[in-house]
Amino acid sequence: MKDKLFSGIQPSGDIHLGNYLGALKNWIALLDEYDAIFSIVDYHAITVPYEAHELQQRILDATAIVIAAGLDPERSTLFVQSTVPEHTELCWILGTVTRISDLERMTQFKQKSQQFYQTVNMGLFAYPVLQAADIILYKAKAVPVGEDQAQHIELCREIVRKFNKTYGETFPEPQAILGEAKRILGLDGQAKMSKTMDNTIGLAEDPKSIQKKLNKAVTDPARVRKTDPGNPNICNIFTLQHFFSTPSEIEYVDRECRVAGIGCLECKKILGKNIIAEILPIQEKYENLKYQKKYLQDILAAGSKRCQEIAATTMEEVREKLGMR
Ligand code: AQP
């Protein structure tokens, strides 16, 4: 039997290149190695302000784009978190073995409570506890995530140790699996590319809009004029070239940027062409899939059914260990 893998994506906005490079590509690469379970994590998405009437559409859009990108539903389980209510039950239980001081240390909580300072809520604070429940409900051993989530997985391991020590060996300690693209920065070249910030390139975004956004993206701040030599080492556009361009294009850009042989716009055109070439087949599949509502709903329903069964078994064991049965 293969070990289980769990990961999730929030239906909190359009899926972007950070999600694609930092998580999705890795999910797809690991499909055959693990019994892979992926969740559209709607309970997580409601911890910040959102439009309730858009949620179902966002869930279907996220499902369609991840499948279009290569997440084969025949070789994995895909489901919506809230259709397996045991996630919240286990979250409550894990909350009783989680230290408040640990949650207060979490970088994502600190950032999000600044970003959404008017609506900081308990759900946002408990986000890593729910995430721990998501993972261990399936006794998953591997969690492919971007670097922004590594701290949460570390806390999850701590929660597992505490739970096992208190109630007896129950859960394995999961391991974060980071891909090559650990942390993709947004077009501002500073913050993490994030659905809830206006700094993304969407995986389903129109090619013209992608190039337009790239053209305005921040590069080496010291390079003011085209005649100024640039420093690719501190340029986010150059970093992105590594994920989309050929070695000879990367070498060309690196060399010519340093001697002001090319301007930022030329570099961005090369990048734009390559991003679009890579994501165009995904966009074509997505355009077709997004209208197949019944097909998408059936995949999610089958995923829920399987996850409900696993979750029910785990929770029986947990309730027994807690003396609740
Ligand atoms: N910029 C990124 N670079 C590398 N990996 C990233 N991930 C997200 N952004 C980057 C990884 O994608 C998976 C899904 O994460 P998410 O749904 O939480 O995505 P998000 O864009 O980060 O969403 P939000 O709504 O803006 O929430 P925050 O900022 O709280 O994450 C994860 O594996 C994540 O690591």
Side-chain angles (χ1 to χ4, degrees):
M1 215 165 63
K2 290 177 184 173
D3 282 343
K4 289 209 171 56
L5 169 153
F6 181 94
S7 201
I9 194 153
Q10 300 185 71
S12 50
D14 295 331
I15 289 179
H16 52 73
L17 291 187
N19 302 133
Y20 174 64
L21 297 172
L24 201 44
K25 277 185 96 166
N26 220 9
W27 293 6
I28 294 159
L30 295 165
L31 278 184
D32 290 327
E33 204 176 317
Y34 290 93
D35 174 359
I37 301 177
F38 302 107
S39 186
I40 312 289
V41 288
D42 51 350
Y43 280 141
H44 286 286
I46 64 168
T47 57
V48 295
Y50 77 105
E51 297 293 340
H53 68 276
E54 289 176 0
L55 189 60
Q56 286 311 307
Q57 192 55 50
R58 286 203 177 283
I59 288 171
L60 287 183
D61 285 346
T63 308
I65 195 91
V66 297
I67 295 174
L71 198 83
D72 182 357
E74 299 287 320
R75 290 187 289 144
S76 59
T77 301
L78 186 59
F79 77 106
V80 179
Q81 185 186 29
S82 65
T83 62
V84 184
E86 282 88 347
H87 285 254
T88 47
E89 184 185 356
L90 185 55
C91 172
W92 179 260
I93 291 167
L94 297 183
T96 64
V97 294
T98 308
R99 275 193 301 260
I100 287 185
S101 55
D102 282 339
L103 293 174
E104 281 169 340
R105 280 192 298 111
M106 294 295 113
T107 309
Q108 178 177 291
F109 176 68
K110 288 186 202 157
Q111 281 168 353
K112 289 252 154 141
S113 44
Q114 275 180 1
Q115 193 184 349
F116 299 101
Y117 65 96
Q118 283 167 319
T119 55
V120 183
N121 57 70
M122 192 182 102
L124 193 61
F125 190 58
Y127 188 114
V129 188
L130 179 59
Q131 192 172 355
D134 299 339
I135 298 163
I136 69 174
L137 193 53
Y138 305 99
K139 302 198 176 181
K141 290 192 178 161
V143 193
V145 283
E147 199 177 53
D148 60 318
Q149 295 302 318
Q151 192 185 33
H152 288 176
I153 310 305
E154 213 29 71
L155 178 58
C156 174
R157 290 164 63 84
E158 174 64 32
I159 294 171
V160 165
R161 285 193 289 271
K162 187 75 191 296
F163 185 97
N164 287 346
K165 191 159 177 249
T166 313
Y167 298 109
E169 199 63 27
T170 311
F171 298 112
E173 277 184 45
Q175 195 77 46
I177 302 185
L178 297 183
E180 213 187 315
K182 294 175 179 54
R183 180 183 165 84
I184 300 297
L185 297 183
L187 296 168
D188 47 17
Q190 285 187 338
K192 185 194 80 152
M193 190 178 281
S194 170
K195 289 193 221 85
T196 48
M197 290 181 74
D198 188 19
N199 68 355
T200 65
I201 289 185
L203 200 49
E205 198 165 331
D206 168 55
K208 276 199 192 118
S209 157
I210 291 179
Q211 191 64 59
K212 213 164 143 193
K213 278 187 178 176
L214 279 177
N215 291 352
K216 287 197 214 146
V218 174
T219 54
D220 169 6
R223 193 172 189 199
V224 182
R225 287 171 299 266
K226 197 179 162 184
T227 48
D228 295 334
N231 180 0
N233 301 342
I234 55 164
C235 176
N236 187 35
I237 294 297
F238 185 67
T239 304
L240 285 172
Q241 296 274 15
H242 288 97
F243 301 108
F244 294 100
S245 301
T246 63
S248 66
E249 283 171 324
I250 295 167
E251 194 261 324
Y252 168 76
V253 167
D254 189 12
R255 189 184 63 238
E256 294 301 319
C257 169
R258 286 179 198 278
V259 296
I262 59 167
C264 292
L265 215 55
E266 188 177 336
C267 172
K268 288 169 170 178
K269 274 192 189 141
I270 294 170
L271 177 64
K273 165 183 77 75
N274 292 331
I275 291 178
I276 291 160
E278 176 159 340
I279 69 175
L280 213 55
I282 298 174
Q283 296 195 344
E284 281 165 8
K285 279 192 206 139
Y286 171 68
E287 276 307 309
N288 180 26
L289 268 177
K290 73 177 182 186
Y291 297 109
Q292 300 184 39
K293 205 170 161 182
K294 171 87 171 56
Y295 169 75
L296 298 171
Q297 284 169 335
D298 285 351
I299 287 170
L300 293 172
S304 288
K305 188 165 175 289
R306 175 166 189 239
C307 290
Q308 280 161 3
E309 284 162 12
I310 304 172
T313 308
T314 306
M315 287 314 297
E316 269 311 300
E317 185 185 352
V318 168
R319 289 181 206 116
E320 218 170 276
K321 292 227 161 108
L322 263 77
M324 290 173 163
R325 292 291 182 274

